[in-house]
């Protein structure tokens, strides 16, 4: 957690909530789970969040609110991209709404930053975020949380209550490692009000057809704009770590080409632990060799893809 990170598509990480549970195949080699059960297992924010198994540390489903970390973005004056809950899931089923309210309160009070929220619990995210628009109850709960956090509580409460919803500085995304997860999670994401909607396909474990989610739906949203009915950004990445599974090059190429056709920004994060081998003439061979993440690099067909959405 901190002001610097090696994650290529963000500037900083912020972990007001830690802990999670395994939900789908993409969780198997989770780096945060491994860290929580090894190097960070005695850290107050991680201790007791995993159990040992033959395969290594595994999340035990316990989650933790790290109160000391909550105001951290308020102290960062320089605007930056911030990955929210990189070592947990903000919308995990064990996270109370009151904790999420506090996280949204901080994001509302820090408009200079852009917050990137990534979840595997798309249905819960949809229900929570729609509470801002349906009857406004969620908005006032978040405003009350802001008031309790700040010394000038009344002003903070009023500011958040009157903020634009959805918050223009909050991007919402889902993880989708296979077609099954994409079809389960992306429709709920598309039904969630957000300034930017994105999908991270890391670790990519199969081919993905995202075309129907990249172009605007035939039925316009209630305000008649395509921004409410499509994805705005796709991240692709292979798996890293000692037990990493290889990503077929054609899976990444296909998503790149779909994004190009739809005019959606495409970000190729990494190959991970596996590198594509080429023959002497530079022809594409689908032969993968396990190497270090840095050696594998992040060039896809010789090009570094750093596409980012424009809010």
């Amino acid at each position: 957690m901190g002001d610097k990170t090696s994650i290529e598509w963000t500037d900083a990480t912020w972990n007001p909530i830690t802990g999670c549970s395994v939900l789908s195949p993409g969780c198997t080699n989770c780096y945060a789970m491994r860290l929580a059960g090894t190097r960070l297992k005695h850290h107050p924010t991680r201790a007791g969040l995993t159990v040992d198994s033959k395969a290594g540390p595994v999340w035990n489903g316990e989650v933790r609110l790290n109160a000391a970390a909550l105001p951290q973005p308020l102290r960062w004056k320089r605007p930056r991209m911030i990955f929210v809950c990189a070592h947990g899931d903000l919308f995990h089923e064990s996270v109370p709404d009151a904790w999420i309210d506090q996280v949204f309160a901080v994001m509302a009070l820090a408009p200079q930053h852009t917050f990137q929220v990534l979840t595997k619990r798309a249905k819960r995210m949809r229900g929570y975020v729609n509470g801002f628009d349906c009857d406004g109850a969620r908005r006032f709960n978040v405003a009350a949380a802001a008031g309790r956090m700040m010394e000038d509580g009344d002003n903070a409460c009023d500011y958040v209550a009157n903020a634009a919803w959805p918050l223009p500085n909050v991007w919402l995304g889902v993880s989708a490692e296979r077609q099954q997860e994409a079809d389960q999670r992306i429709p709920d994401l598309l039904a969630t009000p957000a300034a930017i909607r994105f999908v991270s396909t890391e670790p990519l474990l199969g081919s993905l057809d995202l075309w129907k989610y990249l172009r605007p739906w035939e039925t316009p949203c209630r305000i008649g704009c395509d921004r409410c009915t499509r994805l705005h950004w796709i991240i692709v990445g292979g798996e890293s770590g000692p037990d990493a599974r290889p990503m077929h090059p054609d899976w990444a190429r296909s998503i790149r080409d779909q994004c190009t056709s739809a005019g959606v920004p495409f970000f190729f994060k990494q190959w991970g632990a596996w590198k594509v081998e080429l023959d002497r003439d530079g022809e594409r061979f689908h032969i993968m060799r396990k190497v270090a993440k840095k050696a594998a690099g992040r060039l896809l067909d010789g090009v570094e893809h750093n596409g980012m959405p424009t809010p």
Side-chain angles (χ1 to χ4, degrees), residues 55-76:
V58 178
W59 293 122
N60 61 16
E62 183 181 341
V63 296
R64 183 167 298 146
L65 176 67
N66 304 308
L70 265 173
Q72 188 175 34
L74 302 177
R75 298 192 290 266
W76 295 340

Side-chain angles (χ1 to χ4, degrees), residues 168-237:
N169 65 325
V170 175
W171 299 2
L172 300 179
V174 297
S175 299
E177 63 267 38
R178 304 175 303 173
Q179 192 69 47
Q180 177 180 342
E181 285 74 33
D183 291 339
Q184 287 173 347
R185 299 167 186 167
I186 294 177
D188 282 319
L189 173 63
L190 290 173
T192 303
I196 293 292
R197 293 182 189 82
F198 68 101
V199 173
S200 170
T201 67
E202 181 189 0
L204 185 58
L205 301 179
S207 62
L208 287 182
D209 181 359
L210 300 177
W211 179 246
K212 62 184 175 182
Y213 306 124
L214 293 171
R215 61 187 178 87
W217 289 357
E218 296 299 327
T219 304
C221 70
R222 64 182 181 279
I223 59 174
C225 70
D226 72 350
R227 296 189 67 78
C228 295
T229 56
R230 68 178 296 184
L231 297 175
H232 305 117
W233 188 33
I234 304 294
I235 302 166
V236 169

Side-chain angles (χ1 to χ4, degrees), residues 176-179 201-211 214 234-239 244-259 266-268 270-271 274 276 284-286 288 300-301:
E177 63 267 38
R178 304 175 303 173
Q179 192 69 47
T201 67
E202 181 189 0
L204 185 58
L205 301 179
S207 62
L208 287 182
D209 181 359
L210 300 177
W211 179 246
L214 293 171
I234 304 294
I235 302 166
V236 169
E239 193 167 50
R245 294 157 285 186
M247 174 179 65
H248 197 294
D250 283 349
W251 300 344
R253 292 175 183 135
S254 173
I255 296 175
R256 174 200 62 194
D257 295 344
Q258 292 174 59
C259 288
F266 171 79
F267 195 105
F268 187 71
Q270 63 181 36
W271 282 105
W274 294 84
V276 184
R284 298 174 185 168
F285 274 9
H286 295 154
M288 308 293 288
L300 177 57
D301 293 335

Side-chain angles (χ1 to χ4, degrees), residues 25-41:
C27 304
T28 301
N29 297 317
C30 173
Y31 75 96
M33 180 170 70
R34 185 170 61 250
L35 280 174
T38 54
R39 185 161 58 88
L40 298 178
K41 67 179 179 180

